[in-house]
Amino acid sequence: MSIVTLQSVKKDFGIKELLKDANFSLDTNDKVGLIGTNGSGKSTLLKMIAKLESIDSGQILVNSGAKIVYLPQQPDIDENHTVLEQVFADSGEQMNLVREYEELSDKLAHYPDDSQLMSRLSSVMQRMDATGAWEVETNAKIILTKLGIADFDVKVGTLSGGYRKRIALAAALISAPDLLLMDEPTNHLDALSVEWLQSYLNRYRGALLLITHDRYFLDRVTNRIIEIDRGDIYNYTGNYSYYLEKKALAEESAVSTQRKHQGILRRELEWLKKGPKARSTKQKARIERAHALRDTEFKQLNGKVDISTVGRRIGKKVIELQNVSKGYNGRTLIKDLTYEFSPEDRIGIIGGNGAGKSTLMDIMTARIKPDSGNVEIGSTIHIGYFNQHSEELLTAVNEDQRVIDYIKEEGEFIQISDGTKITASQMLERFLFPGNQQYAPINKLSGGEKRRLYLLRILISAPNVLILDEPTNDLDVQTLAVLEDYLEDFNGCVIVVSHDRYFLDRTVDRIFALEEGGGLRQYPGNYSIYLDYKKAEEAEKQETSKTVIAEKVVSPVTETKKARRLSNWERREFEELEGKIAKLEADKTAVERKLVTVAGNYSQVQKLYEEVETLKKNIDVATERWLELAEME
């Protein structure tokens, strides 16, 4: 059954036609990946389906009663809300009851003798029991925990943009709509959170339409791909790997068809040059066919970024770090780091949010100074630094500057890899900025287009050291694929900070993992090989843990801190906790039901309410311990 149907939808922003005649539908079992170059209209299409953006013509039909939830790249969040309040801010009846229950409970904690509050709480609890809303709160806390958010009462305004996006993601998942529209849901998520989200969406019963640069995620979650290519819509029934296969075949077929057309056209033009007299019907028809062949237009197959910028010589000395340390607010991010980067290095830097990855990049590029230690940069080194906030900096500094003028600041003519020089305008065309867009102000570009423009500016400056801080955020998969090919042949040092598993697998041959306390561990190979090392390390630790317990060398408490996998006694505790939590929930439900029956007896209500609160705390403690052990399972 179709949830949404687009019929002959058109959208034009003046300098660019986003949709010419879009026709497709989304069914209940669809998990669709939306792809296309930056600025092709992917985010706009999501907004149109969510009725946040108008269409120029055509119609978008939504099935009556269907619930649609839209998760934008920059979600609207009330900074005064707590995490749980924000999660339940735009919710249905169940979640509204949970929110009211939380508010009343908080008030009763301050005014325990307020009989009116107690009566209202009793009524809310009765309705929660009838609608099954108790499960919603538990589910919300589990999802938030899986996304790396442990404090549910902290004010949203105190959190970083990455954590705010996670809260908005949690709210979208908890709402369980018929159609979930997601714009770059994996941005700001670490590898573990991405893995969990991937697994969650695979089990999700509703329909999905999502934009993401994470190609592993795209491949494993979707069962259909919709591509927007210069206003046209193309459907592929399959995941991302299937799309790549069919896309390659389609382009080969198109090239073959165009070659055949050119051959026929050449012969027909030669015949026309001989001056045939249109005496017969056959000759007239042939002349008309020749003119038709000449006027036939083929869609160019170059809707891809072309990176062919020139490099420069690099010496033996690149960047040297000697006993470098850096910390903020009493927390050490980098501790005694010593490393000499070589011209051949291809290094991926990973770590959790706030681990110090961007700080390390800023130290290496002399943007900030270390607390101790030395940083030396070679005399021949020209660093190209593509940081994760480039589009914001670009807009802030050059808001009204024209696209072409921004590139011309690097030069009117640009040397490319084959030694020839092309104009700034030609270079922009290779980066998918057509002529009319080149003379538009930068603030008219989409976020992804600004990132692509900033990348072009960096590459034409001919760096011999490329430092890429989260380059995959907001860059389309087509641009990423071309960038990966470019880096493969790049004559210089490449340092990448990324959560994108696919990008790291394609571009690096050594992993630097930042650890808590400022330590850094090195692993040879790409990200997948790093994961193999981590699995082997954890398996070895688990085996060691079992041996140590058997020999009774260390206490169980000490072993718990060291082991990353469940020990035997932890496994027993884990299994027992499931029954314990179920019993506590059953006890709480029984007391809540009893509470409803004695609503008129204040002393009884007070006693039972305190019993409910105690059970809730015990459930929270047991659930938190269960989640902790489940992470090691």
Side-chain angles (χ1 to χ4, degrees):
M1 182 179 69
S2 293
I3 300 174
V4 171
T5 301
L6 276 72
Q7 295 180 349
S8 301
V9 172
K10 295 183 180 180
K11 184 67 178 179
D12 193 331
F13 278 140
I15 62 172
K16 182 183 289 187
E17 188 177 27
L18 295 183
L19 294 176
K20 296 177 182 176
D21 186 27
N23 294 277
F24 68 86
S25 62
L26 298 171
D27 296 336
T28 51
N29 296 321
D30 279 338
K31 288 183 169 60
V32 182
L34 184 60
I35 65 174
T37 56
N38 290 129
S40 61
K42 301 187 297 295
S43 296
T44 300
L45 178 55
L46 291 192
K47 291 176 184 176
M48 289 192 294
I49 295 174
K51 299 190 181 302
L52 298 174
E53 181 75 48
S54 64
I55 60 177
D56 293 337
S57 63
Q59 56 183 342
I60 299 178
L61 306 175
V62 179
N63 188 24
S64 177
K67 181 180 180 181
I68 298 176
V69 169
Y70 169 56
L71 176 68
Q73 288 192 47
Q74 303 296 330
D76 185 19
I77 283 181
D78 188 336
E79 295 188 352
N80 294 317
H81 277 164
T82 66
V83 170
L84 271 183
E85 286 172 345
Q86 183 61 45
V87 166
F88 298 139
D90 300 311
S91 308
E93 182 186 2
Q94 284 183 322
M95 296 185 190
N96 287 332
L97 286 171
V98 172
R99 182 174 58 183
E100 189 175 356
Y101 173 81
E102 293 284 346
E103 290 173 355
L104 288 171
S105 296
D106 184 61
K107 288 178 181 178
L108 273 169
H110 294 89
Y111 307 102
D113 297 327
D114 191 322
S115 58
Q116 287 187 340
L117 285 177
M118 190 66 68
S119 178
R120 286 174 58 194
L121 180 68
S122 176
S123 174
V124 168
M125 290 168 66
Q126 186 176 11
R127 287 156 58 200
M128 288 180 70
D129 188 48
T131 59
W134 297 106
E135 297 177 5
V136 176
E137 183 181 23
T138 302
N139 190 37
K141 290 179 178 179
I142 289 173
I143 289 175
L144 287 166
T145 302
K146 290 291 186 180
L147 292 174
I149 299 171
D151 189 348
F152 309 135
D153 297 319
V154 67
K155 293 289 185 181
V156 173
T158 65
L159 300 177
S160 67
Y163 278 105
R164 295 183 190 191
K165 179 70 178 282
R166 293 179 186 213
I167 293 166
L169 173 58
L173 296 177
I174 292 162
S175 64
D178 300 293
L179 173 60
L180 185 53
L181 307 171
M182 310 175 83
D183 197 345
E184 296 290 0
T186 61
N187 276 7
H188 307 296
L189 295 185
D190 57 31
L192 288 176
S193 296
V194 170
E195 289 280 353
W196 174 84
L197 179 60
Q198 181 179 291
S199 175
Y200 185 93
L201 293 180
N202 279 329
R203 300 190 306 271
Y204 184 69
R205 293 182 179 179
L208 300 173
L209 178 61
L210 61 91
I211 302 166
T212 181
H213 60 264
D214 189 323
R215 284 152 289 176
Y216 281 148
F217 187 86
L218 196 61
D219 203 40
R220 293 165 186 173
V221 170
T222 63
N223 56 25
R224 185 175 158 205
I225 298 292
I226 292 177
E227 180 184 23
I228 305 178
D229 185 5
R230 288 159 289 177
D232 293 325
I233 293 284
Y234 299 92
N235 271 284
Y236 299 85
T237 305
N239 62 6
Y240 183 67
S241 296
Y242 177 87
Y243 155 77
L244 289 177
E245 292 174 10
K246 294 300 179 183
K247 180 73 172 177
L249 290 173
E251 291 191 351
E252 287 175 11
S253 175
V255 170
S256 176
T257 300
Q258 191 167 353
R259 284 175 181 164
K260 289 178 181 177
H261 174 272
Q262 290 171 343
I264 296 170
L265 177 60
R266 188 165 46 250
R267 290 193 296 272
E268 293 300 300
L269 289 174
E270 288 173 357
W271 177 76
L272 281 175
K273 287 177 182 178
K274 293 178 181 178
K277 296 179 180 179
R279 294 177 179 174
S280 68
T281 302
K282 286 185 178 180
Q283 285 179 317
K284 287 181 180 179
R286 188 170 181 182
I287 291 171
E288 289 173 358
R289 187 179 70 168
H291 288 305
L293 284 168
R294 184 189 59 191
D295 295 337
T296 300
E297 292 184 3
F298 285 88
K299 190 167 189 176
Q300 296 298 311
L301 299 176
N302 61 348
K304 297 176 182 176
V305 173
D306 180 9
I307 299 178
S308 55
T309 57
V310 72
R312 69 176 76 196
R313 187 184 72 83
I314 184 170
K316 291 183 178 180
K317 185 175 181 179
V318 182
I319 301 173
E320 296 181 0
L321 307 177
Q322 186 69 35
N323 297 323
V324 168
S325 295
K326 185 68 179 179
Y328 290 103
N329 300 322
R331 180 169 171 248
T332 301
L333 297 178
I334 301 159
K335 183 178 180 181
D336 295 331
L337 175 59
T338 297
Y339 186 81
E340 294 183 9
F341 291 89
S342 75
E344 298 81 23
D345 267 341
R346 297 285 191 275
I347 292 174
I349 300 178
I350 63 173
N353 290 324
K357 302 183 295 297
S358 296
T359 299
L360 179 56
M361 299 300 97
D362 287 339
I363 289 174
M364 290 167 54
T365 54
R367 282 166 169 75
I368 61 174
K369 292 182 179 181
D371 295 336
S372 60
N374 298 310
V375 180
E376 294 185 11
I377 299 174
S379 59
T380 65
I381 298 306
H382 182 84
I383 296 175
Y385 184 23
F386 184 73
N387 76 48
Q388 59 179 309
H389 303 297
S390 54
E391 77 281 2
E392 297 173 13
L393 296 171
L394 189 153
T395 302
V397 176
N398 307 282
E399 184 172 359
D400 298 319
Q401 187 177 24
R402 296 186 305 179
V403 170
I404 193 165
D405 293 333
Y406 177 72
I407 294 301
K408 281 183 176 179
E409 288 179 348
E410 286 291 333
E412 293 278 347
F413 294 90
I414 298 155
Q415 187 172 348
I416 57 178
S417 55
D418 63 5
T420 60
K421 287 189 175 182
I422 62 174
T423 65
S425 178
Q426 289 172 319
M427 195 71 214
L428 279 165
E429 286 179 355
R430 290 179 176 223
F431 259 64
L432 304 187
F433 292 102
N436 59 344
Q437 199 175 24
Q438 293 177 18
Y439 289 89
I442 289 172
N443 60 24
K444 294 293 184 182
L445 302 180
S446 70
E449 286 174 319
K450 290 173 185 174
R451 296 273 284 170
R452 182 162 15 104
L453 181 66
Y454 194 79
L455 175 63
L456 172 59
R457 173 76 177 257
I458 289 170
L459 295 182
I460 63 177
S461 69
N464 49 24
V465 173
L466 268 176
I467 298 179
L468 308 174
D469 189 0
E470 296 292 358
T472 61
N473 284 0
D474 297 328
L475 284 182
D476 55 78
V477 293
Q478 293 92 333
T479 301
L480 289 175
V482 178
L483 177 59
E484 287 159 2
D485 289 337
Y486 172 83
L487 294 178
E488 190 172 333
D489 299 323
F490 179 72
N491 182 33
C493 176
V494 177
I495 303 164
V496 178
V497 173
S498 181
H499 288 129
D500 191 313
R501 302 158 293 175
Y502 192 103
F503 190 81
L504 288 173
D505 277 353
R506 285 274 329 255
T507 57
V508 307
D509 54 24
R510 181 175 292 273
I511 294 290
F512 283 5
L514 289 175
E515 300 179 333
E516 190 65 33
L520 184 148
R521 293 190 65 183
Q522 298 183 33
Y523 296 85
N526 61 18
Y527 187 76
S528 291
I529 295 173
Y530 157 78
L531 288 180
D532 290 339
Y533 274 106
K534 294 297 290 182
K535 288 176 183 176
E537 286 176 5
E538 290 175 3
E540 184 179 347
K541 286 180 180 179
Q542 186 178 15
E543 195 61 37
T544 303
S545 168
K546 291 178 181 178
T547 303
V548 170
I549 289 175
E551 296 175 355
K552 298 182 180 179
V553 174
V554 295
S555 69
V557 174
T558 305
E559 187 58 26
T560 301
K561 292 180 179 178
K562 291 185 178 181
R564 290 181 176 268
R565 293 289 183 181
L566 294 180
S567 63
N568 291 334
W569 70 271
E570 284 174 328
R571 189 172 298 282
R572 284 195 297 272
E573 181 189 5
F574 179 67
E575 293 168 354
E576 290 171 359
L577 275 171
E578 292 184 357
K580 181 180 178 181
I581 292 169
K583 185 178 183 307
L584 287 169
E585 290 281 6
D587 291 345
K588 183 167 78 76
T589 300
V591 176
E592 286 163 351
R593 285 175 177 165
K594 192 175 180 181
L595 226 172
V596 173
T597 64
V598 297
N601 188 325
Y602 179 78
S603 60
Q604 278 285 84
V605 168
Q606 180 71 19
K607 181 180 178 182
L608 292 173
Y609 172 75
E610 291 173 357
E611 193 172 342
V612 168
E613 288 300 300
T614 301
L615 286 167
K616 278 181 60 182
K617 289 177 182 177
N618 292 340
I619 289 169
D620 287 342
V621 171
T623 301
E624 185 176 348
R625 178 58 176 162
W626 184 89
L627 288 170
E628 180 184 342
L629 295 174
E631 290 290 338
M632 297 186 286
E633 173 67 9

